[in-house]
Amino acid sequence: MKKIPKVTILKLDTDATQPSGKGALLDMVLVLSQTLPYDAERMFDHAWRNNMAMYKRSASLNGNRITVTCMEDELQGQVDMLKDVLSEVVRAYNERVEEEERRQEEADKNAADQKKRLLDLNDRLKF
C-alpha cells in the first residue's frame, strides 16, 4: 500500500453525464486528479453513506471518477461536500498506510533480532 497524495476534483465529464432515470436527476460524472485504490473507494463509500449532510445525494467512487446523482443546480453543493469527504478519506487511508508501515518495520526488526539471537545461540552451542 502506498500513500495517496492530495486528490482533487478536476472537472465534470459532460460526455459521461446522463439522465439518471429518476425524474430531473442526472448522473453527474466528476473526474478526479488520480485513481484511488480499491480500499480507498470502499472507505469513500462508507464515509459518504455515513455523512450526515441533509442535502446529500447518492454518490459512488470508481477509480478516478465519482458519479453523483443530483439536479444541475445542486451540483456545486454536492461537489463541496464531496471535496470534504475525499479529503477525510485520503487522510484516513494515509494514516492506515503509515500504521501498516510501522507494523511491518516492527515485525522486520523483531525477525532480525530473533535471527541474531539464534546465530549467537548457535555460536555458543557445543556439538
Side-chain angles (χ1 to χ4, degrees):
M1 287 175 41
K2 291 180 4 182
K3 282 186 174 183
I4 303 170
K6 182 179 178 181
V7 177
T8 57
I9 298 173
L10 299 176
K11 67 178 183 173
L12 172 68
D13 184 339
T14 55
D15 293 329
T17 294
Q18 58 190 355
S20 69
K22 300 174 185 169
L25 300 176
L26 296 172
D27 285 336
M28 307 274 198
V29 179
L30 304 169
V31 179
L32 303 180
S33 58
Q34 61 186 310
T35 299
L36 297 178
Y38 177 71
D39 287 349
E41 287 181 20
R42 288 188 7 224
M43 292 171 75
F44 171 84
D45 289 340
H46 178 76
W48 188 254
R49 275 194 314 271
N50 292 311
N51 184 304
M52 300 305 285
M54 289 180 60
Y55 299 107
K56 174 186 71 168
R57 295 289 191 167
S58 71
S60 62
L61 171 62
N62 187 4
N64 72 333
R65 295 176 181 274
I66 293 177
T67 301
V68 59
T69 303
C70 66
M71 296 189 305
E72 290 177 22
D73 61 349
E74 296 175 327
L75 186 57
Q76 185 60 59
Q78 298 301 303
V79 166
D80 293 341
M81 285 186 280
L82 287 164
K83 289 191 306 189
D84 290 342
V85 171
L86 271 174
S87 177
E88 178 59 28
V89 165
V90 168
R91 184 197 59 75
Y93 183 87
N94 287 343
E95 283 179 3
R96 199 167 110 186
V97 169
E98 289 171 2
E99 180 60 32
E100 181 60 34
E101 287 172 349
R102 280 191 293 275
R103 275 196 297 266
Q104 187 60 50
E105 286 172 8
E106 186 175 330
D108 291 348
K109 183 184 180 310
N110 289 340
D113 290 347
Q114 182 181 39
K115 179 74 172 177
K116 183 181 181 324
R117 286 191 312 272
L118 292 173
L119 288 171
D120 290 346
L121 173 61
N122 187 50
D123 289 345
R124 292 190 314 268
L125 291 173
K126 296 177 180 158
F127 295 102

